[in-house]
Amino acid sequence: MAVDLKMPALSPTMEEGKLARWLVKEGDTVRSGDILAEIETDKATMEFEAVDEGTIGKILVPEGTEGVKVGAVIAVIEGEDGDAAPAPAPAAAPAAPEPEAPVARKADTGTTQLVTDAKPAQDAAIPFGTNMQTITVRDALRDAMAEEMRRDGRVFVMGEEVAEYQGAYKVTQGLLEEFGPRRVIDTPITEYGFAGIGTGAAMGGLRPVIEFMTFNFAMQAIDHIINSAAKTNYMSGGQMRCPVVFRGPNGAASRVGAQHSQNYASWYAHVPGLVVIAPYDASDAKGLLKAAIRSEDPVVFLENELVYGRSFELPELDDHVLPIGKARIVREGSDVTIVSYSIGVGLALQAAEELAGEGIDAEVIDLRTLRPLDREAILTSLAKTNRVVVAEEGWPVCSIASEVIAICMEDGFDDLDAPVLRVCNEDVPLPYAANLEKAALIDVPRIVATVKKVCNR
Amino acid sequence: MLRGSCAYNPARISRPRGTDLVKPAKPTKTAAKRAPKPTRAATQPVAAPPAAAKPVAAKPAAAKPAAPKRTARAKPAAQSIAAQSPTAKPALIETLADDENFALRSLQQTHAAAPRYAASDEELLHFDEPMVLIRRVEEKAGQLYGLGLIGGFCHLYIGQEAVAVGLQSALVGGKDTVITGYRDHGHMLAYGIDPKIIMSELTGRQSGISHGKGGSMHMFSVDHGFYGGHGIVGAQVSLGAGLAFAHKYRDDGGVCLAYFGDGAANQGQVYESFNMASLWKLPIVFVIENNGYAMGTAVKRSSAETHFYRRGTAFRIPGMDVNGMDVLEVRQAAEVALDHVRKGNGPVLLELNTYRYRGHSMSDPAKYRSREEVQEMREKHDPIEGAKTELLARGVAEDKIKEIDKRIRGLVSEAADFAESSPQPDPSELYTDVLVERY
């Protein structure tokens, strides 16, 4: 009997991939473990092995095809009896509904609801008429590091798998080749240790960029981030600086459970002495990472794994550096302000589009820097719209949302026409099961509903 | 309970170093005064395996005589070292004999062969002076604490002076770097930092080295290559590895000296740092100041391996076991260690066996050790008295030594007066130096 070969999911975030190369042809006999094809994911090129034995029947997806959805039938293996007729097309195969099913199930997980197609309006700080290119957030971050490394010999990158592996999330891809092992340094799995070494190297006059594979693992190192890096300048009366950048993905990832899915923004934003940045799009990722590396202060730079592969417009400028501590209006509006940051910005923009269809004109603010927080931008928008909702992919208690609400109460009370509300993740550790994950995470409908509430609609 | 069980073993301090490795070093006049102890290694006579007996005579460099680990671990505190037979031969193990490239104790042997720095009379006086300065400043700090002029925690360095002075005297100013924990006043004074600004920081004044915002545990002088002053136990070890990383990255020839205590030696990040420092051959000397107690917990109650100089073995870091109460032995150990590190061989681990006379901090009632133990150390092993005795024995005029003491007393009371009469920080200092830049 024939077995369908389906496009495999080779990473937690993969939804589609490129079928780069077939290593077998129709009529070949394959055994379990034989390599059938090479598939390019968003992170790497992977080999696809046979599980079943048999003969390759029809190859349905030719090599070189891009955007093959996970779960789509790419070939058919005939069983030993060879009785199955070559499948003319996936639709005709008896198992035709099946390939659809995994796709549908995957689309149903929580993190897919976090990724939207909404694009922010162009940054007003970019000169009118600047040529734009399309680039992924991942490449924008890599280019930021590469440009700063070319500019300043003191800058180096250190972390787990940043060099030979080319980055666990491919963010440091190509840096080893250009800058060599002196400046692109693989560490052992030893977060506390290398965070301390990075901090000490910054005290000693270098400009370290310390990559945490994810910020979940930075918990092992948070002592150095807070007690060593953040407090040094103050405790030394301004003598001893610590210009280090701690960067890596932060926030919920896809189906990896509670220990690998957490937003630490409010943890770091709580600490005087740190700068905390959490960009959303490629332009901010690049411009702010360059600013972070140049800063004399210790910076926690929170990226988001689910956004790495997304493409945005990036201005073609020789030296694209953006100001730290400045929020950005990513959508102008007059009825209500939605404040967000990082991956929440996409959700807020999507919600704003839906609200526009219902006659509510929402302004969306991307905080970009979480410490120091741009109070003025929040309050100015509040004065204009008189209503604020905070959307945050993270827990609600003692969150960035809590802080924004406090600012509105303290300094914007007279401008408020409704209570400031927050839309966050549920106040539970992130579960693994797809349906529970979906229920736990913030989504567009929740933002829309909350905005309507503050607009009395 | 602790008194009889040898909670801390002063014998380690007075034992002529290296007796279990090579022939005993000739006792100097100073050393002769002290109670001679044969060894600390073997806790009971163990019949040496016949096969293992050979290499010691034939290949001392490759063999590593020591007590079998199981024996040492099983009964760490049970036996008095003093009670054992001085003729008991140390048992032998050959854990490293198969790897001639790495000899954990090669530096120990170099050190044991000539344990004491050949100081001229003038040099010895130069070592004596900062030791006396540290002692007097710390005594004064203790007084000011009692008067309420110094607040919070205040960890005095009294008793340990020879360590900072002996090691830092071997460093190259403007090139090398130093980092330590919260017991930091002594290291700053040993580095020639003005006692006035130290005393001002201790009393929380604007004229303090951190404008009064750091306090006793958080003092820094980047100009002197002194990088703190860190209050989190063990953090300075990773940070020090970072300073060493910067030396190597810049290829500036500098070495970092990272001090930590026997307590910090049990922190996990210390070993993470050992691993990377050795892996990357960072120019760093790890200095364990073993004063016998992590706060109130005796070494033997906290550490499975109490021979701290062996703690780098798993990372191929050579260790040295040093009498931290003898400034000349400390200085000589520094020479050996720095020579090794400066040649690009990677880190060295020094264990300095020392003792603090005062409590862990000013608020420590020191119930965990006996008055006699402290008294014994003060009377028989004091580093300053040791240096003075040696100076007199060499024929240096007593007046010269007294003159130093007198000058330092003046300096210290001047520093205390300066601090007391200095203003507190301006209230506006509250908000300065949180961040360097404005955003």
Side-chain angles (χ1 to χ4, degrees):
Chain A
M1 106 154 243
V3 177
D4 289 336
L5 282 179
K6 294 170 187 168
M7 185 70 168
L10 298 168
S11 81
T13 48
M14 177 176 169
E15 282 161 28
E16 58 178 44
K18 176 182 177 184
L19 209 167
R21 196 153 74 97
W22 279 107
L23 297 167
V24 291
K25 57 184 187 301
E26 289 175 6
D28 282 0
T29 306
V30 294
R31 284 179 306 161
S32 174
D34 286 354
I35 298 163
L36 303 176
E38 286 178 1
I39 289 167
E40 273 180 36
T41 73
D42 53 338
K43 290 180 189 160
T45 300
M46 310 281 286
E47 290 176 339
F48 178 38
E49 290 181 4
V51 177
D52 300 297
E53 305 201 340
T55 308
I56 299 292
K58 187 78 183 162
I59 287 181
L60 301 166
V61 177
E63 64 182 27
T65 308
E66 303 212 20
V68 183
K69 296 280 180 211
V70 168
V73 178
I74 55 175
V76 177
I77 292 189
E78 289 163 16
E80 280 169 5
D81 47 4
D83 60 351
E98 244 186 50
E100 299 303 319
V103 178
R105 275 203 299 276
K106 193 161 173 62
D108 218 21
T109 65
T111 44
T112 45
Q113 76 201 23
L114 296 181
V115 182
T116 72
D117 290 327
K119 302 270 162 101
Q122 188 173 325
D123 189 347
I126 308 299
F128 181 75
T130 304
N131 278 340
M132 302 298 273
Q133 57 168 307
T134 302
I135 189 171
T136 62
V137 171
R138 172 181 285 118
D139 290 347
L141 290 165
R142 189 264 322 277
D143 291 351
M145 286 186 278
E147 287 177 16
E148 293 308 298
M149 289 174 82
R150 281 174 211 131
R151 181 179 170 270
D152 184 346
R154 298 171 300 172
V155 180
F156 68 94
V157 177
M158 176 185 269
E160 292 156 6
E161 310 293 4
V162 298
E164 298 198 4
Y165 194 95
Q166 305 293 325
Y169 293 92
K170 277 211 312 200
V171 175
T172 54
Q173 193 171 31
L175 294 183
L176 175 66
E177 195 187 354
E178 180 173 352
F179 300 102
R182 176 173 165 267
R183 298 181 69 192
V184 185
I185 302 146
D186 278 331
T187 66
I189 300 172
T190 180
E191 282 85 6
Y192 198 5
F194 72 71
I197 287 179
T199 305
M203 292 169 176
L206 301 183
R207 297 286 177 141
V209 177
I210 304 300
E211 175 175 309
F212 291 113
M213 194 180 288
T214 79
F215 263 92
N216 303 285
F217 314 143
M219 285 299 95
Q220 304 237 27
I222 196 166
D223 172 51
H224 280 303
I225 301 173
I226 291 169
N227 274 315
S228 301
K231 298 176 182 174
T232 288
N233 193 57
Y234 193 80
M235 291 196 305
S236 70
Q239 283 183 70
M240 201 162 107
R241 296 177 178 185
C242 190
V244 59
V245 176
F246 299 104
R247 53 153 290 270
N250 170 65
S254 183
R255 304 292 308 281
V256 288
Q259 289 181 334
H260 284 68
S261 297
Q262 187 176 334
N263 176 358
Y264 291 92
S266 64
W267 292 53
Y268 295 108
H270 183 65
V271 182
L274 286 180
V275 169
V276 183
I277 297 171
Y280 172 58
D281 70 8
S283 171
D284 286 349
K286 183 174 183 186
L288 288 170
L289 183 53
K290 281 167 68 81
I293 293 170
R294 290 184 197 184
S295 169
E296 290 288 343
D297 292 303
V299 179
V300 172
F301 195 91
L302 303 169
E303 299 158 10
N304 191 298
E305 180 195 333
L306 299 171
V307 178
Y308 277 155
R310 293 217 46 213
S311 294
F312 294 93
E313 301 247 283
L314 175 74
E316 290 181 354
L317 297 169
D318 286 344
D319 198 17
H320 176 55
V321 184
L322 291 170
I324 292 171
K326 294 279 177 284
R328 170 182 160 201
I329 296 170
V330 290
R331 185 186 199 280
E332 297 226 26
S334 56
D335 296 337
V336 58
T337 302
I338 308 175
V339 178
S340 192
Y341 65 93
S342 188
I343 197 165
V345 173
L347 299 176
L349 286 168
Q350 183 78 40
E353 275 178 35
E354 292 187 17
L355 288 161
E358 301 188 38
I360 297 174
D361 184 17
E363 178 149 298
V364 178
I365 292 184
D366 180 354
L367 292 170
R368 303 198 290 186
T369 301
L370 305 177
R371 174 177 272 275
L373 202 55
D374 190 348
R375 300 170 70 98
E376 200 187 322
I378 298 165
L379 293 168
T380 304
S381 184
L382 165 59
K384 181 166 83 170
T385 65
N386 308 114
R387 296 165 203 275
V388 175
V389 166
V390 193
E392 179 172 19
E393 190 278 285
W395 289 319
V397 179
C398 301
S399 57
I400 299 295
S402 311
E403 182 62 24
V404 171
I405 292 170
I407 289 170
C408 294
M409 289 294 287
E410 286 165 355
D411 293 328
F413 190 74
D414 292 344
D415 291 323
L416 279 172
D417 284 350
V420 184
L421 298 185
R422 58 187 160 182
V423 191
C424 300
N425 295 348
E426 291 300 309
D427 195 17
V428 295
L430 196 70
Y432 169 72
N435 64 325
L436 297 181
E437 183 185 76
K438 184 174 167 57
L441 292 169
I442 185 175
D443 60 9
V444 172
R446 281 176 241 200
I447 301 173
V448 169
T450 308
V451 170
K452 283 178 168 176
K453 211 163 155 184
V454 302
C455 294
N456 303 318
R457 296 277 289 270
Chain B
M1 179 196 95
L2 295 168
R3 199 186 298 186
S5 64
C6 199
Y8 179 66
N9 173 22
R12 293 184 58 183
I13 283 163
S14 57
R15 170 178 71 87
R17 297 290 131 169
T19 46
D20 54 344
L21 293 163
V22 290
K23 62 180 180 181
K26 232 179 189 175
T28 62
K29 278 182 184 173
T30 325
K33 266 187 67 187
R34 303 171 187 176
K37 296 286 180 204
T39 177
R40 73 174 190 193
T43 52
Q44 62 182 65
V46 179
K54 267 186 198 164
V56 113
K59 284 204 297 178
K64 182 176 170 270
K69 274 194 175 158
R70 282 176 60 198
T71 313
R73 284 197 175 178
K75 298 181 178 178
Q79 304 214 6
S80 163
I81 287 174
Q84 76 182 50
S85 157
T87 56
K89 283 193 177 162
L92 304 170
I93 52 169
E94 283 186 283
T95 48
L96 301 167
D98 58 332
D99 183 353
E100 299 199 353
N101 292 324
F102 175 68
L104 170 68
R105 310 209 58 182
S106 61
L107 295 181
Q108 175 70 41
Q109 283 158 350
T110 308
H111 179 54
R116 302 186 83 230
Y117 180 72
S120 67
D121 295 353
E122 209 51 38
E123 277 178 302
L124 189 50
L125 278 168
H126 278 302
F127 296 149
D128 177 60
E129 187 168 333
M131 290 201 292
V132 175
L133 176 68
I134 293 170
R135 176 80 47 103
R136 300 290 166 252
V137 166
E138 296 290 66
E139 285 169 351
K140 179 62 86 178
Q143 285 169 14
L144 295 183
Y145 193 91
L147 294 171
L149 285 160
I150 296 175
F153 299 130
C154 185
H155 310 85
L156 302 182
Y157 200 61
I158 297 175
Q160 303 182 207
E161 296 90 345
V163 175
V165 171
L167 291 178
Q168 280 164 230
S169 66
L171 296 180
V172 179
K175 189 160 119 176
D176 297 327
T177 50
V178 173
I179 191 165
T180 186
Y182 44 73
R183 198 180 301 285
D184 56 354
H185 325 158
H187 301 92
M188 301 192 75
L189 291 162
Y191 233 21
I193 297 167
D194 186 351
K196 277 188 197 156
I197 59 170
I198 294 174
M199 204 57 101
S200 297
E201 190 60 35
L202 290 174
T203 50
R205 309 296 167 139
Q206 175 74 39
S207 52
I209 196 158
S210 301
H211 307 316
K213 295 200 290 196
S216 160
M217 299 186 285
H218 316 111
M219 293 200 264
F220 312 83
S221 177
V222 174
D223 288 346
H224 288 83
F226 183 81
Y227 286 82
H230 295 268
I232 304 298
V233 175
Q236 73 273 25
V237 182
S238 308
L239 297 172
L243 292 169
F245 180 92
H247 285 306
K248 181 161 178 143
Y249 188 91
R250 281 193 298 253
D251 196 20
D252 61 11
V255 172
C256 176
L257 202 58
Y259 292 94
F260 53 109
D262 47 282
N266 290 326
Q267 287 279 23
Q269 66 174 311
V270 169
Y271 300 91
E272 298 187 29
S273 305
F274 280 6
N275 184 41
M276 285 180 279
S278 184
L279 182 69
W280 299 334
K281 297 223 181 308
L282 301 183
I284 184 165
V285 180
F286 295 109
V287 182
I288 300 182
E289 293 191 75
N290 179 4
N291 64 19
Y293 297 92
M295 270 191 78
T297 305
V299 158
K300 288 186 176 177
R301 293 202 297 128
S302 65
S303 301
E305 172 57 276
T306 58
H307 302 317
F308 289 97
Y309 68 97
R310 295 181 189 164
R311 291 277 186 106
T313 311
F315 308 97
R316 308 176 68 83
I317 299 175
M320 290 163 69
D321 185 11
V322 184
N323 178 359
M325 301 300 267
D326 176 359
V327 71
L328 296 185
E329 183 167 334
V330 175
R331 170 62 190 258
Q332 187 60 26
E335 298 277 331
V336 175
L338 287 169
D339 181 58
H340 182 85
V341 174
R342 286 202 207 281
K343 282 177 179 158
N345 295 316
V348 172
L349 175 59
L350 295 183
E351 177 184 356
L352 280 300
N353 293 283
T354 182
Y355 200 81
R356 65 169 151 76
Y357 301 167
R358 297 295 186 92
H360 163 73
S361 70
M362 289 302 295
S363 50
D364 172 9
K367 299 267 191 230
Y368 47 84
R369 62 185 184 185
S370 69
R371 199 171 276 280
E372 289 82 357
E373 181 186 298
V374 182
Q375 213 48 38
E376 152 115 9
M377 293 305 300
R378 275 179 176 278
E379 283 170 11
K380 297 188 177 160
H381 307 291
D382 186 79
I384 297 175
E385 286 307 312
K388 283 187 176 154
T389 307
E390 184 158 350
L391 282 164
L392 292 175
R394 288 178 179 206
V396 173
E398 196 170 0
D399 284 353
K400 218 168 179 177
I401 301 167
K402 282 191 172 159
E403 201 267 339
I404 289 176
D405 289 354
K406 195 178 159 199
R407 183 153 43 82
I408 282 172
R409 278 183 199 282
L411 212 64
V412 171
S413 78
E414 194 188 334
D417 291 346
F418 176 83
E420 282 182 58
S421 60
S422 293
Q424 290 192 319
D426 189 88
S428 67
E429 283 285 1
L430 182 61
Y431 303 105
T432 59
D433 301 324
V434 178
L435 292 173
V436 178
E437 296 190 30
R438 293 186 158 272
Y439 301 99

